Amino acid sequence: MQNQLKLKTRPAEVSQQLIQSGRDVATWKTITIGTFADPLGLRNKLDGMGCGIGGQAAEILARPTFILGSRKTDVELVLVSPAQLGFTSDTVTLADVYARARQFGFELAAAEVGPQLRIQYLDQPIGEFLIIGMEPIKTWSGEPIVLNVANGGAGLILIGQDGRASSAIHVTSRFVFARSHPSAPGTGPIDQTAAFLPP
């Protein structure tokens, strides 16, 4: 892992060019979820790889509301900043980032995406912190938390951060969202309804 970390010593410069359409954003990574039978196996894998897990992240992984996929599924991820989504102030609320991302056709990622990305993104450059666009999960004390996949310089880590809707996010922060895929023709609810309409 040390050799892999030496490949990149700083985060690649990310364009802050305004996104015109969700189709303009290339898929950043495709990862697989649903590969662990239970959260303990997932946690053991992170520990075995030497990935650090912050206290809040550890709580999230142990909560009943942290659910793993029941089957292997590939998930396409995009990487965007609030600035790219059109925000011009220095900070923006988490709720506003999520709402704007949905307007572009991006989806909140499953909670499992955070630790799975940590496992599958070993060449993360030092200094890069990626916020997982996900539904917050509450700690034992009731604090809403979202996950952050990071390399702070001392190694690869998975940490938690404030997941309140009103939390202030810097406009150049980078978010990981899932790319939504429209239903195949003939399988959506509109098509099914049309099948029952009189000719």
Side-chain angles (χ1 to χ4, degrees):
M1 190 178 299
Q2 288 299 325
N3 290 336
Q4 291 172 316
L5 291 177
K6 290 176 184 174
L7 295 176
K8 298 180 183 179
T9 57
R10 61 181 180 181
E13 292 299 317
V14 175
S15 169
Q16 296 297 336
Q17 184 175 354
L18 196 64
I19 297 169
Q20 302 298 326
S21 164
R23 293 186 301 273
D24 298 338
V25 181
T27 296
W28 171 64
K29 281 189 179 300
T30 300
I31 66 168
T32 304
I33 64 173
T35 59
F36 292 92
D38 54 58
L40 181 60
L42 177 60
R43 174 67 189 263
N44 288 341
K45 177 68 173 180
L46 288 163
D47 288 341
M49 295 172 62
C51 292
I53 304 174
Q56 291 176 324
E59 278 197 55
I60 294 308
L61 298 184
R63 296 291 281 153
T65 46
F66 178 81
I67 299 171
L68 298 178
S70 58
R71 59 186 176 86
K72 288 185 181 181
T73 306
D74 289 338
V75 180
E76 290 184 28
L77 304 176
V78 296
L79 191 61
V80 296
S81 70
Q84 289 177 284
L85 295 175
F87 294 102
T88 56
S89 56
D90 288 340
T91 62
V92 63
T93 66
L94 185 64
D96 285 344
V97 174
Y98 282 7
R100 186 71 57 84
R102 286 186 174 109
Q103 289 175 3
F104 281 100
F106 306 137
E107 295 179 344
L108 295 187
E112 183 184 353
V113 165
Q116 287 279 15
L117 179 59
R118 178 65 293 152
I119 290 168
Q120 299 174 51
Y121 185 27
L122 298 180
D123 61 345
Q124 183 174 24
I126 292 173
E128 184 178 76
F129 289 75
L130 303 179
I131 303 168
I132 305 299
M134 57 178 277
E135 287 289 348
I137 294 178
K138 290 184 179 179
T139 62
W140 298 108
S141 61
E143 184 179 359
I145 296 296
V146 296
L147 295 171
N148 193 309
V149 173
N151 182 351
L156 303 176
I157 55 175
L158 180 69
I159 56 177
Q161 72 176 64
D162 188 354
R164 290 174 299 164
S166 61
S167 64
I169 304 294
H170 196 273
V171 74
T172 59
S173 299
R174 291 192 287 168
F175 280 81
V176 175
F177 290 106
R179 183 183 295 283
S180 60
H181 291 283
S183 299
T187 61
I190 294 175
D191 298 299
Q192 291 172 355
T193 303
F196 294 101
L197 294 177

